[in-house]
Every structure is written in C-alpha cells, then in structure tokens.
Amino acid sequence: NVDARAYTSAASCLEALVDRLDRLGFDPAVDGSEEGETAVIAFAHCPFRELAEAHPELVCALHRGMVEGFVEQTGEATVDDFHTLGHREPCQVTISSR
C-alpha cells in the first residue's frame, strides 16, 4: 500500500501515481519526462471499461477523483487535465509539478 504523503517531489508523485494505477489494472503509459514540469499518463486499459461505457459520467468522475485526491495528497503536483471517455483523446491525465 503506497502512502502518497511519503513522496516529496513531482517526479516521485508521478512514479507513485503510475505505480498505483498499474496495480489497479489501468496499464498506465507516461509521455513526458519524470524530471520535466508536465507529464501525460494514458490509461491503456480500463478495468472498468464496460461499466464506464454504460455510465461514463459516474465511472470517469470516480476515476478522476481518485487521481486528483492521490496527487493532491502529495502536494508536489497538480492535475491539469483529465480526459474522460467522451473526450477526443480519452482516458488520460496531465499532471504538472508545482
């Protein structure tokens, strides 16, 4: 179990978030440097895809809240954008260092 408060840098926050998403089955892929200011994490697989397709407003909002809460808890990064299934480039989040 990863405690987000144990991470003290944006790079560590990104690493922890990717690790958490991987353990949950989202198969995250990072575009951007861990040492850069911004990174995009794409969710190559959604373990809730079938449910998300039926109820995207609910499932994607829960996923967004989970990601935002985890990132906020670290205090070292922010969620700039979250693309739901309804977006042209679905299932990805952009985070940046503070």
Side-chain angles (χ1 to χ4, degrees), residues 56-95:
E57 66 288 340
L58 175 64
V59 176
C60 293
L62 288 170
H63 184 203
R64 180 182 186 141
M66 178 186 72
V67 169
E68 287 178 342
F70 189 89
V71 170
E72 184 178 304
Q73 190 177 12
T74 68
E76 298 300 325
T78 58
V79 173
D80 295 331
D81 201 5
F82 190 96
H83 296 187
T84 65
L85 281 176
H87 196 275
R88 177 174 261 202
E89 297 174 328
C91 305
Q92 67 182 32
V93 62
T94 304
I95 67 169

mmCIF file of all heavy atoms in Angstrom, residues 56-95:
data_model
loop_
_atom_site.group_PDB
_atom_site.id
_atom_site.type_symbol
_atom_site.label_atom_id
_atom_site.label_comp_id
_atom_site.label_asym_id
_atom_site.label_seq_id
_atom_site.Cartn_x
_atom_site.Cartn_y
_atom_site.Cartn_z
ATOM 1 N N PRO A 56 -20.370 6.733 -18.199
ATOM 2 C CA PRO A 56 -19.094 7.460 -18.166
ATOM 3 C C PRO A 56 -19.074 8.613 -17.172
ATOM 4 O O PRO A 56 -18.052 8.871 -16.535
ATOM 5 C CB PRO A 56 -18.919 7.954 -19.602
ATOM 6 C CG PRO A 56 -20.279 7.945 -20.194
ATOM 7 C CD PRO A 56 -21.022 6.844 -19.493
ATOM 8 N N GLU A 57 -20.195 9.295 -17.006
ATOM 9 C CA GLU A 57 -20.229 10.427 -16.083
ATOM 10 C C GLU A 57 -19.937 9.991 -14.651
ATOM 11 O O GLU A 57 -19.288 10.702 -13.900
ATOM 12 C CB GLU A 57 -21.557 11.186 -16.164
ATOM 13 C CG GLU A 57 -22.785 10.407 -15.704
ATOM 14 C CD GLU A 57 -23.256 9.289 -16.638
ATOM 15 O OE1 GLU A 57 -22.927 9.283 -17.827
ATOM 16 O OE2 GLU A 57 -23.963 8.391 -16.132
ATOM 17 N N LEU A 58 -20.336 8.820 -14.279
ATOM 18 C CA LEU A 58 -20.107 8.308 -12.932
ATOM 19 C C LEU A 58 -18.731 7.667 -12.789
ATOM 20 O O LEU A 58 -17.939 8.047 -11.924
ATOM 21 C CB LEU A 58 -21.193 7.295 -12.547
ATOM 22 C CG LEU A 58 -21.019 6.590 -11.205
ATOM 23 C CD1 LEU A 58 -21.085 7.602 -10.074
ATOM 24 C CD2 LEU A 58 -22.056 5.516 -11.032
ATOM 25 N N VAL A 59 -18.418 6.721 -13.644
ATOM 26 C CA VAL A 59 -17.169 5.961 -13.524
ATOM 27 C C VAL A 59 -15.954 6.853 -13.775
ATOM 28 O O VAL A 59 -14.985 6.820 -13.016
ATOM 29 C CB VAL A 59 -17.175 4.736 -14.457
ATOM 30 C CG1 VAL A 59 -15.850 3.997 -14.404
ATOM 31 C CG2 VAL A 59 -18.321 3.801 -14.078
ATOM 32 N N CYS A 60 -15.995 7.676 -14.822
ATOM 33 C CA CYS A 60 -14.860 8.553 -15.118
ATOM 34 C C CYS A 60 -14.694 9.613 -14.020
ATOM 35 O O CYS A 60 -13.567 9.981 -13.687
ATOM 36 C CB CYS A 60 -15.021 9.203 -16.486
ATOM 37 S SG CYS A 60 -14.931 8.029 -17.870
ATOM 38 N N ALA A 61 -15.793 10.084 -13.454
ATOM 39 C CA ALA A 61 -15.706 11.061 -12.358
ATOM 40 C C ALA A 61 -15.072 10.427 -11.120
ATOM 41 O O ALA A 61 -14.263 11.071 -10.431
ATOM 42 C CB ALA A 61 -17.091 11.609 -12.023
ATOM 43 N N LEU A 62 -15.397 9.175 -10.835
ATOM 44 C CA LEU A 62 -14.769 8.479 -9.704
ATOM 45 C C LEU A 62 -13.280 8.282 -9.947
ATOM 46 O O LEU A 62 -12.464 8.483 -9.054
ATOM 47 C CB LEU A 62 -15.447 7.130 -9.459
ATOM 48 C CG LEU A 62 -16.841 7.195 -8.851
ATOM 49 C CD1 LEU A 62 -17.495 5.820 -8.876
ATOM 50 C CD2 LEU A 62 -16.788 7.733 -7.444
ATOM 51 N N HIS A 63 -12.917 7.909 -11.167
ATOM 52 C CA HIS A 63 -11.507 7.719 -11.509
ATOM 53 C C HIS A 63 -10.765 9.053 -11.401
ATOM 54 O O HIS A 63 -9.673 9.123 -10.844
ATOM 55 C CB HIS A 63 -11.399 7.136 -12.914
ATOM 56 C CG HIS A 63 -10.003 6.813 -13.318
ATOM 57 N ND1 HIS A 63 -9.637 6.722 -14.626
ATOM 58 C CD2 HIS A 63 -8.874 6.576 -12.601
ATOM 59 C CE1 HIS A 63 -8.351 6.434 -14.697
ATOM 60 N NE2 HIS A 63 -7.868 6.350 -13.479
ATOM 61 N N ARG A 64 -11.366 10.118 -11.913
ATOM 62 C CA ARG A 64 -10.748 11.444 -11.817
ATOM 63 C C ARG A 64 -10.550 11.842 -10.363
ATOM 64 O O ARG A 64 -9.486 12.335 -9.974
ATOM 65 C CB ARG A 64 -11.593 12.480 -12.533
ATOM 66 C CG ARG A 64 -11.003 13.864 -12.454
ATOM 67 C CD ARG A 64 -11.858 14.920 -13.120
ATOM 68 N NE ARG A 64 -11.152 16.168 -13.123
ATOM 69 C CZ ARG A 64 -11.171 17.018 -14.138
ATOM 70 N NH1 ARG A 64 -11.872 16.757 -15.219
ATOM 71 N NH2 ARG A 64 -10.487 18.142 -14.067
ATOM 72 N N GLY A 65 -11.559 11.628 -9.544
ATOM 73 C CA GLY A 65 -11.458 11.961 -8.121
ATOM 74 C C GLY A 65 -10.361 11.177 -7.430
ATOM 75 O O GLY A 65 -9.627 11.727 -6.588
ATOM 76 N N MET A 66 -10.214 9.926 -7.786
ATOM 77 C CA MET A 66 -9.163 9.100 -7.208
ATOM 78 C C MET A 66 -7.786 9.663 -7.576
ATOM 79 O O MET A 66 -6.916 9.813 -6.712
ATOM 80 C CB MET A 66 -9.294 7.666 -7.722
ATOM 81 C CG MET A 66 -8.221 6.727 -7.227
ATOM 82 S SD MET A 66 -8.333 5.109 -8.011
ATOM 83 C CE MET A 66 -7.765 5.498 -9.663
ATOM 84 N N VAL A 67 -7.594 9.992 -8.852
ATOM 85 C CA VAL A 67 -6.313 10.531 -9.319
ATOM 86 C C VAL A 67 -6.040 11.886 -8.673
ATOM 87 O O VAL A 67 -4.948 12.135 -8.156
ATOM 88 C CB VAL A 67 -6.290 10.633 -10.860
ATOM 89 C CG1 VAL A 67 -5.094 11.441 -11.341
ATOM 90 C CG2 VAL A 67 -6.280 9.249 -11.486
ATOM 91 N N GLU A 68 -7.032 12.780 -8.686
ATOM 92 C CA GLU A 68 -6.841 14.111 -8.103
ATOM 93 C C GLU A 68 -6.550 14.029 -6.610
ATOM 94 O O GLU A 68 -5.693 14.753 -6.102
ATOM 95 C CB GLU A 68 -8.064 14.987 -8.357
ATOM 96 C CG GLU A 68 -8.176 15.429 -9.794
ATOM 97 C CD GLU A 68 -9.414 16.253 -10.081
ATOM 98 O OE1 GLU A 68 -10.384 16.230 -9.275
ATOM 99 O OE2 GLU A 68 -9.430 16.921 -11.132
ATOM 100 N N GLY A 69 -7.245 13.159 -5.897
ATOM 101 C CA GLY A 69 -7.015 13.009 -4.467
ATOM 102 C C GLY A 69 -5.613 12.501 -4.173
ATOM 103 O O GLY A 69 -4.943 12.991 -3.260
ATOM 104 N N PHE A 70 -5.146 11.549 -4.954
ATOM 105 C CA PHE A 70 -3.813 10.998 -4.755
ATOM 106 C C PHE A 70 -2.754 12.069 -5.006
ATOM 107 O O PHE A 70 -1.840 12.256 -4.211
ATOM 108 C CB PHE A 70 -3.594 9.800 -5.675
ATOM 109 C CG PHE A 70 -2.324 9.049 -5.391
ATOM 110 C CD1 PHE A 70 -2.309 8.022 -4.469
ATOM 111 C CD2 PHE A 70 -1.144 9.378 -6.037
ATOM 112 C CE1 PHE A 70 -1.144 7.325 -4.190
ATOM 113 C CE2 PHE A 70 0.029 8.690 -5.772
ATOM 114 C CZ PHE A 70 0.031 7.660 -4.841
ATOM 115 N N VAL A 71 -2.888 12.796 -6.107
ATOM 116 C CA VAL A 71 -1.923 13.844 -6.463
ATOM 117 C C VAL A 71 -1.967 14.976 -5.434
ATOM 118 O O VAL A 71 -0.931 15.478 -5.003
ATOM 119 C CB VAL A 71 -2.183 14.357 -7.894
ATOM 120 C CG1 VAL A 71 -1.360 15.595 -8.200
ATOM 121 C CG2 VAL A 71 -1.888 13.261 -8.909
ATOM 122 N N GLU A 72 -3.162 15.368 -5.025
ATOM 123 C CA GLU A 72 -3.299 16.450 -4.037
ATOM 124 C C GLU A 72 -2.656 16.077 -2.707
ATOM 125 O O GLU A 72 -2.048 16.907 -2.039
ATOM 126 C CB GLU A 72 -4.774 16.769 -3.832
ATOM 127 C CG GLU A 72 -5.012 17.941 -2.909
ATOM 128 C CD GLU A 72 -6.489 18.249 -2.772
ATOM 129 O OE1 GLU A 72 -7.134 18.476 -3.819
ATOM 130 O OE2 GLU A 72 -6.985 18.232 -1.634
ATOM 131 N N GLN A 73 -2.769 14.824 -2.337
ATOM 132 C CA GLN A 73 -2.210 14.372 -1.064
ATOM 133 C C GLN A 73 -0.696 14.521 -1.042
ATOM 134 O O GLN A 73 -0.123 14.785 0.004
ATOM 135 C CB GLN A 73 -2.609 12.918 -0.791
ATOM 136 C CG GLN A 73 -2.274 12.457 0.603
ATOM 137 C CD GLN A 73 -2.753 11.034 0.860
ATOM 138 O OE1 GLN A 73 -3.142 10.310 -0.044
ATOM 139 N NE2 GLN A 73 -2.718 10.638 2.108
ATOM 140 N N THR A 74 -0.033 14.385 -2.187
ATOM 141 C CA THR A 74 1.424 14.541 -2.220
ATOM 142 C C THR A 74 1.817 16.002 -2.075
ATOM 143 O O THR A 74 2.868 16.300 -1.519
ATOM 144 C CB THR A 74 2.043 14.008 -3.527
ATOM 145 O OG1 THR A 74 1.651 14.835 -4.610
ATOM 146 C CG2 THR A 74 1.697 12.563 -3.763
ATOM 147 N N GLY A 75 1.000 16.908 -2.624
ATOM 148 C CA GLY A 75 1.294 18.327 -2.541
ATOM 149 C C GLY A 75 2.377 18.800 -3.490
ATOM 150 O O GLY A 75 2.745 19.962 -3.472
ATOM 151 N N GLU A 76 2.916 17.931 -4.327
ATOM 152 C CA GLU A 76 4.033 18.293 -5.204
ATOM 153 C C GLU A 76 3.646 18.432 -6.672
ATOM 154 O O GLU A 76 4.476 18.797 -7.489
ATOM 155 C CB GLU A 76 5.154 17.256 -5.070
ATOM 156 C CG GLU A 76 5.737 17.168 -3.685
ATOM 157 C CD GLU A 76 6.352 18.481 -3.206
ATOM 158 O OE1 GLU A 76 6.926 19.217 -4.022
ATOM 159 O OE2 GLU A 76 6.237 18.765 -2.005
ATOM 160 N N ALA A 77 2.414 18.132 -7.002
ATOM 161 C CA ALA A 77 1.973 18.209 -8.395
ATOM 162 C C ALA A 77 0.494 18.560 -8.410
ATOM 163 O O ALA A 77 -0.177 18.527 -7.373
ATOM 164 C CB ALA A 77 2.226 16.882 -9.109
ATOM 165 N N THR A 78 0.010 18.903 -9.592
ATOM 166 C CA THR A 78 -1.411 19.195 -9.766
ATOM 167 C C THR A 78 -1.914 18.476 -11.010
ATOM 168 O O THR A 78 -1.150 18.200 -11.935
ATOM 169 C CB THR A 78 -1.677 20.709 -9.931
ATOM 170 O OG1 THR A 78 -0.942 21.185 -11.061
ATOM 171 C CG2 THR A 78 -1.288 21.481 -8.697
ATOM 172 N N VAL A 79 -3.204 18.195 -11.025
ATOM 173 C CA VAL A 79 -3.850 17.625 -12.205
ATOM 174 C C VAL A 79 -4.288 18.795 -13.067
ATOM 175 O O VAL A 79 -5.094 19.620 -12.645
ATOM 176 C CB VAL A 79 -5.051 16.740 -11.820
ATOM 177 C CG1 VAL A 79 -5.807 16.300 -13.067
ATOM 178 C CG2 VAL A 79 -4.591 15.538 -11.015
ATOM 179 N N ASP A 80 -3.711 18.888 -14.268
ATOM 180 C CA ASP A 80 -4.052 19.977 -15.182
ATOM 181 C C ASP A 80 -5.253 19.646 -16.046
ATOM 182 O O ASP A 80 -6.037 20.518 -16.390
ATOM 183 C CB ASP A 80 -2.865 20.296 -16.097
ATOM 184 C CG ASP A 80 -1.674 20.826 -15.328
ATOM 185 O OD1 ASP A 80 -1.859 21.453 -14.272
ATOM 186 O OD2 ASP A 80 -0.539 20.602 -15.795
ATOM 187 N N ASP A 81 -5.367 18.378 -16.433
ATOM 188 C CA ASP A 81 -6.439 17.979 -17.341
ATOM 189 C C ASP A 81 -6.708 16.493 -17.156
ATOM 190 O O ASP A 81 -5.790 15.714 -16.892
ATOM 191 C CB ASP A 81 -6.015 18.252 -18.785
ATOM 192 C CG ASP A 81 -7.188 18.362 -19.738
ATOM 193 O OD1 ASP A 81 -8.347 18.328 -19.286
ATOM 194 O OD2 ASP A 81 -6.948 18.479 -20.957
ATOM 195 N N PHE A 82 -7.959 16.102 -17.297
ATOM 196 C CA PHE A 82 -8.352 14.704 -17.200
ATOM 197 C C PHE A 82 -9.321 14.432 -18.332
ATOM 198 O O PHE A 82 -10.381 15.041 -18.404
ATOM 199 C CB PHE A 82 -9.015 14.411 -15.843
ATOM 200 C CG PHE A 82 -9.217 12.952 -15.580
ATOM 201 C CD1 PHE A 82 -8.297 12.233 -14.846
ATOM 202 C CD2 PHE A 82 -10.327 12.289 -16.079
ATOM 203 C CE1 PHE A 82 -8.465 10.874 -14.597
ATOM 204 C CE2 PHE A 82 -10.513 10.935 -15.838
ATOM 205 C CZ PHE A 82 -9.585 10.233 -15.097
ATOM 206 N N HIS A 83 -8.965 13.530 -19.235
ATOM 207 C CA HIS A 83 -9.807 13.218 -20.384
ATOM 208 C C HIS A 83 -10.627 11.966 -20.112
ATOM 209 O O HIS A 83 -10.079 10.890 -19.916
ATOM 210 C CB HIS A 83 -8.948 12.985 -21.627
ATOM 211 C CG HIS A 83 -8.195 14.196 -22.064
ATOM 212 N ND1 HIS A 83 -7.481 14.220 -23.225
ATOM 213 C CD2 HIS A 83 -8.051 15.420 -21.526
ATOM 214 C CE1 HIS A 83 -6.913 15.402 -23.379
ATOM 215 N NE2 HIS A 83 -7.248 16.150 -22.341
ATOM 216 N N THR A 84 -11.926 12.124 -20.124
ATOM 217 C CA THR A 84 -12.847 11.006 -19.917
ATOM 218 C C THR A 84 -13.103 10.300 -21.247
ATOM 219 O O THR A 84 -12.583 10.696 -22.295
ATOM 220 C CB THR A 84 -14.186 11.513 -19.350
ATOM 221 O OG1 THR A 84 -14.809 12.346 -20.332
ATOM 222 C CG2 THR A 84 -13.987 12.283 -18.055
ATOM 223 N N LEU A 85 -13.951 9.283 -21.215
ATOM 224 C CA LEU A 85 -14.306 8.561 -22.442
ATOM 225 C C LEU A 85 -14.934 9.462 -23.491
ATOM 226 O O LEU A 85 -14.841 9.195 -24.682
ATOM 227 C CB LEU A 85 -15.285 7.423 -22.129
ATOM 228 C CG LEU A 85 -14.686 6.161 -21.547
ATOM 229 C CD1 LEU A 85 -15.797 5.167 -21.212
ATOM 230 C CD2 LEU A 85 -13.699 5.531 -22.490
ATOM 231 N N GLY A 86 -15.573 10.543 -23.077
ATOM 232 C CA GLY A 86 -16.237 11.447 -24.010
ATOM 233 C C GLY A 86 -15.298 12.417 -24.702
ATOM 234 O O GLY A 86 -15.712 13.169 -25.585
ATOM 235 N N HIS A 87 -14.038 12.420 -24.356
ATOM 236 C CA HIS A 87 -13.070 13.347 -24.933
ATOM 237 C C HIS A 87 -12.485 12.789 -26.231
ATOM 238 O O HIS A 87 -12.446 11.583 -26.429
ATOM 239 C CB HIS A 87 -11.946 13.596 -23.914
ATOM 240 C CG HIS A 87 -11.109 14.788 -24.230
ATOM 241 N ND1 HIS A 87 -10.044 14.727 -25.085
ATOM 242 C CD2 HIS A 87 -11.184 16.072 -23.805
ATOM 243 C CE1 HIS A 87 -9.486 15.920 -25.175
ATOM 244 N NE2 HIS A 87 -10.158 16.758 -24.405
ATOM 245 N N ARG A 88 -12.012 13.674 -27.091
ATOM 246 C CA ARG A 88 -11.396 13.256 -28.354
ATOM 247 C C ARG A 88 -10.185 12.355 -28.120
ATOM 248 O O ARG A 88 -9.930 11.433 -28.890
ATOM 249 C CB ARG A 88 -10.982 14.486 -29.147
ATOM 250 C CG ARG A 88 -10.261 14.163 -30.430
ATOM 251 C CD ARG A 88 -10.022 15.403 -31.188
ATOM 252 N NE ARG A 88 -11.082 15.460 -32.186
ATOM 253 C CZ ARG A 88 -11.013 16.146 -33.289
ATOM 254 N NH1 ARG A 88 -9.985 16.894 -33.523
ATOM 255 N NH2 ARG A 88 -11.991 16.121 -34.147
ATOM 256 N N GLU A 89 -9.400 12.638 -27.091
ATOM 257 C CA GLU A 89 -8.257 11.802 -26.689
ATOM 258 C C GLU A 89 -8.591 11.226 -25.315
ATOM 259 O O GLU A 89 -8.167 11.757 -24.292
ATOM 260 C CB GLU A 89 -6.975 12.626 -26.641
ATOM 261 C CG GLU A 89 -6.574 13.191 -27.975
ATOM 262 C CD GLU A 89 -5.389 14.126 -27.870
ATOM 263 O OE1 GLU A 89 -5.242 14.811 -26.841
ATOM 264 O OE2 GLU A 89 -4.607 14.169 -28.827
ATOM 265 N N PRO A 90 -9.379 10.156 -25.265
ATOM 266 C CA PRO A 90 -9.903 9.662 -23.989
ATOM 267 C C PRO A 90 -8.865 8.970 -23.111
ATOM 268 O O PRO A 90 -7.800 8.573 -23.557
ATOM 269 C CB PRO A 90 -10.973 8.660 -24.428
ATOM 270 C CG PRO A 90 -10.486 8.153 -25.738
ATOM 271 C CD PRO A 90 -9.801 9.333 -26.384
ATOM 272 N N CYS A 91 -9.233 8.885 -21.852
ATOM 273 C CA CYS A 91 -8.518 8.078 -20.873
ATOM 274 C C CYS A 91 -7.059 8.487 -20.670
ATOM 275 O O CYS A 91 -6.149 7.693 -20.851
ATOM 276 C CB CYS A 91 -8.620 6.587 -21.209
ATOM 277 S SG CYS A 91 -10.329 6.020 -21.368
ATOM 278 N N GLN A 92 -6.876 9.744 -20.296
ATOM 279 C CA GLN A 92 -5.532 10.211 -19.953
ATOM 280 C C GLN A 92 -5.627 11.388 -19.003
ATOM 281 O O GLN A 92 -6.652 12.059 -18.925
ATOM 282 C CB GLN A 92 -4.730 10.580 -21.190
ATOM 283 C CG GLN A 92 -5.228 11.779 -21.952
ATOM 284 C CD GLN A 92 -4.406 12.040 -23.199
ATOM 285 O OE1 GLN A 92 -3.888 11.135 -23.820
ATOM 286 N NE2 GLN A 92 -4.291 13.290 -23.578
ATOM 287 N N VAL A 93 -4.548 11.597 -18.266
ATOM 288 C CA VAL A 93 -4.471 12.692 -17.316
ATOM 289 C C VAL A 93 -3.151 13.423 -17.522
ATOM 290 O O VAL A 93 -2.137 12.805 -17.837
ATOM 291 C CB VAL A 93 -4.596 12.174 -15.854
ATOM 292 C CG1 VAL A 93 -3.474 11.236 -15.478
ATOM 293 C CG2 VAL A 93 -4.679 13.325 -14.866
ATOM 294 N N THR A 94 -3.186 14.740 -17.391
ATOM 295 C CA THR A 94 -1.977 15.553 -17.463
ATOM 296 C C THR A 94 -1.712 16.123 -16.090
ATOM 297 O O THR A 94 -2.599 16.728 -15.478
ATOM 298 C CB THR A 94 -2.147 16.710 -18.469
ATOM 299 O OG1 THR A 94 -2.516 16.182 -19.735
ATOM 300 C CG2 THR A 94 -0.879 17.538 -18.587
ATOM 301 N N ILE A 95 -0.494 15.887 -15.578
ATOM 302 C CA ILE A 95 -0.124 16.459 -14.287
ATOM 303 C C ILE A 95 1.133 17.297 -14.463
ATOM 304 O O ILE A 95 1.915 17.094 -15.390
ATOM 305 C CB ILE A 95 0.100 15.375 -13.192
ATOM 306 C CG1 ILE A 95 1.321 14.507 -13.495
ATOM 307 C CG2 ILE A 95 -1.142 14.534 -12.989
ATOM 308 C CD1 ILE A 95 1.699 13.627 -12.322
#
